[in-house]
Amino acid sequence: MEARADRPLPRTPRGDVVSGETSQPRRWRVRVTEKCGGCGMCVMTAPLYFQLVDGYSQARHSEVEPDDAVLAAAELCPMSAIEVVDADTGAEVTPTP
Ligand code: SF4
């Protein structure tokens, strides 16, 4: 996120500029919904985060640190079956189809 020229940068009480990185969620909650068709695209895209079990995808971990590979898998999923939300706020991280 870029600071706008007409607004001062956010600062700590000591006066240090607050990095935009601090606003990033620390954990994502990942879930594969019942819409999964078992094509395996997510497993090929992000094998550290997804696996096929009985022909359908499952998230290997229910919570993960933010990683673009998870978003890539969610975006490539032809069934929009992968949900990614901020674990702290529940805000959706994946783009809506
Ligand atoms: S890409 Fe989507 S439909 Fe394909 S296995 Fe993964 S979750 Fe299921």
Side-chain angles (χ1 to χ4, degrees), residues 37-84:
C39 70
M41 186 86 76
C42 57
V43 178
M44 288 186 283
T45 304
L48 292 178
Y49 299 102
F50 300 96
Q51 62 186 348
L52 288 180
V53 177
D54 295 331
Y56 297 97
S57 177
Q58 283 184 352
R60 289 183 180 271
H61 312 282
S62 59
E63 287 194 9
V64 301
E65 294 190 9
D67 188 324
D68 286 345
V70 176
L71 294 184
E75 290 174 8
L76 289 170
C77 174
M79 306 303 288
S80 299
I82 298 173
E83 292 180 351
V84 185

